[in-house]
Amino acid sequence: PLWGRRPPNQKAMGEKAAENGIAAMAACYQRFDPASYLKYNYTPPRADFGRDDSIVPWKLARLHRAFTEGDVRGDLLVDVGSGPTLYQVLSGCEVFSKVILTDFLEVNRQELRRWLRDEGGCSLDWTPYLQYVCQLEGRRPSAWTEKAAKLRQVVQDVLPIDVHCPQPVAPHGLPAAGADCLVSTFCLESVSPDLAAFTRALGHVGSLLRPGGHLLLIGALGESYYLGGPGVKIPVVPLNEAQVCASLVESGYTLIRLEVYTLPQDMRVGVDDVSGVFFVKAKKL
Ligand SMILES: C[S@@+](CC[C@H](N)C(=O)[O-])C[C@H]1O[C@@H](n2cnc3c(N)ncnc32)[C@H](O)[C@@H]1O
Ligand SMILES: O=[N+]([O-])c1ccc2c(c1)CN[C@@H](CO)C2
C-alpha cells in the first residue's frame, strides 16, 4: 500500500549526501602529508617529555594504565587509522602477541613500514617515545631498544582500512574471531563529515572487535579542522563529551572510563582548533 512506503527519494537523498560527504573527505586526504602532520603534532610543545602538561605524555600515560590494569588481555590488538604514528601501540605491544596497524593512505602505511623494517628514512625519531613508555613500565629508558625490537616483532601487518565501510578491513585481513582489543586515536572524528557518520564508523569498527573486547579511543574535542599538511585544511566533526558517550552507547559499547585533557594556551599552535582531547576505555557488549 502507498502509505507503507517512504516518500520517493527521501532515503536515497540522505544516502547520497552521506556518500558525497565521505567522498569529499577522501579527496582531502589525498593531500595529507605524513611528515608535516608529525611535525605539527608530535614535536614540542605537544610532545614535550619534560612537561607534565604536554599532550603526548598525557596520552601515553592513559594508554599505559589502560593496557596494564589487568582487564585487557588476548592475542590480537588492532590499531584503527594508525596514520604515520606508533605511540598508540607502545604499551599494547607488551600485552598482545599480535598487533595489526591500519590506515587509509598508502603514504602512511609506507611510513610505518619504513620504521618496522628499521631501514632509516623515517620522518620522526620515536626514541623519546619508546624511552618515556619504558619509564612508565618501571624500566630503564635505555631499554627502549628492547621495546623497539618487541614492537617490530609483534606487528604482523599494516593493512588498508576504511571506517566508512561496514566491513572496514578486507575479508581475511583479520581472523574471523575478531580482535581482542582495538585502539584508535584521532581517526573517526577526523575522517567523518558529521556526527551521524562518526557514529556509523564507530559501529563499523566495532565489527572488528570480539564481544567482551576492549576499545581504547583517543580523540579531539571541539575541533572543526586541522592541517594535514601546509595549507591542507581537513574538516573535523566537533565533538563534546556527551556526544562521544552517546555514540559509544549507540554503537554497542559500555563505557569504563572517560578522561579529558584541556589544552593550555601554548599547546594551541595554529595547526588546528582543537580545545580538548578525550581518552575512552570501553568494552564491547
Ligand atoms: C588525524 S590522523 C590520526 C593518525 C594517528 N592515529 C594519530 O593518533 O595521530 C587520521 C588518520 O585517519 C586516516 N583516514 C582517513 N580516512 C580514513 C578512513 N575512511 N578510514 C580509516 N582511516 C582513515 C588518515 O589517513 C590519517 O592517517
Ligand atoms: O596534541 N596532540 O597530541 C594531537 C595529536 C594529533 C592530533 C591533534 C592533537 C588534534 N588534531 C587531530 C586531527 O584531528 C590530530
Side-chain angles (χ1 to χ4, degrees), residues 125 129 137 190:
D125 175 12
Y129 289 74
E137 293 167 352
S190 305

Side-chain angles (χ1 to χ4, degrees), residues 56-115:
V56 166
W58 183 88
K59 297 194 285 184
L60 294 174
R62 268 65 193 177
L63 288 164
H64 167 72
R65 178 187 172 200
F67 275 117
T68 59
E69 59 192 340
D71 53 347
V72 173
R73 69 180 67 81
D75 303 317
L76 175 61
L77 167 67
V78 174
D79 177 27
V80 172
S82 306
T85 69
L86 289 160
Y87 73 91
Q88 61 271 26
V89 291
L90 295 183
S91 292
C93 73
E94 305 289 350
V95 176
F96 291 88
S97 56
K98 295 184 179 71
V99 175
I100 291 179
L101 305 176
T102 68
D103 199 73
F104 184 70
L105 295 175
E106 176 57 19
V107 286
N108 285 328
R109 298 194 296 267
Q110 279 169 349
E111 181 71 30
L112 295 171
R113 288 192 201 105
R114 261 198 291 278
W115 187 86

Side-chain angles (χ1 to χ4, degrees), residues 103-277:
D103 199 73
F104 184 70
L105 295 175
E106 176 57 19
V107 286
N108 285 328
R109 298 194 296 267
Q110 279 169 349
E111 181 71 30
L112 295 171
R113 288 192 201 105
R114 261 198 291 278
W115 187 86
L116 292 167
R117 293 171 185 156
D118 200 3
E119 58 195 32
C122 294
S123 302
L124 189 85
D125 175 12
W126 294 101
T127 306
Y129 289 74
L130 290 152
Q131 290 171 331
Y132 188 79
V133 179
C134 283
Q135 286 181 292
L136 291 176
E137 293 167 352
R139 299 158 73 179
R140 311 174 319 287
S142 58
W144 72 269
T145 52
E146 293 153 46
K147 181 175 275 295
K150 178 74 172 173
L151 181 55
R152 290 185 167 112
Q153 178 226 331
V154 301
V155 173
Q156 308 290 304
D157 216 335
V158 183
L159 298 178
I161 193 166
D162 182 349
V163 297
H164 299 308
C165 297
Q167 189 174 40
V169 174
H172 317 305
L174 300 180
D180 297 298
C181 183
L182 295 181
V183 58
S184 185
T185 54
F186 296 110
C187 179
L188 303 185
E189 72 281 1
S190 305
V191 309
S192 299
D194 53 37
L195 181 60
F198 170 83
T199 307
R200 281 197 303 274
L202 196 50
H204 298 159
V205 159
S207 71
L208 304 174
L209 182 60
R210 69 162 170 79
H214 286 87
L215 166 68
L216 306 183
L217 193 63
I218 289 181
L221 290 172
E223 184 178 51
S224 69
Y225 81 92
Y226 78 101
L227 295 182
V232 183
K233 202 167 175 179
I234 297 178
V236 178
V237 190
L239 297 174
N240 60 41
E241 291 166 61
Q243 289 167 324
V244 172
C245 293
S247 293
L248 285 162
V249 170
E250 201 177 319
S251 308
Y253 296 92
T254 180
L255 183 68
I256 293 170
R257 179 158 67 241
L258 168 68
E259 293 184 65
V260 172
Y261 168 98
T262 301
L263 268 77
Q265 206 47 43
D266 64 353
M267 292 287 162
R268 300 171 195 238
V269 295
V271 298
D272 51 43
D273 62 351
V274 68
S275 61
V277 176

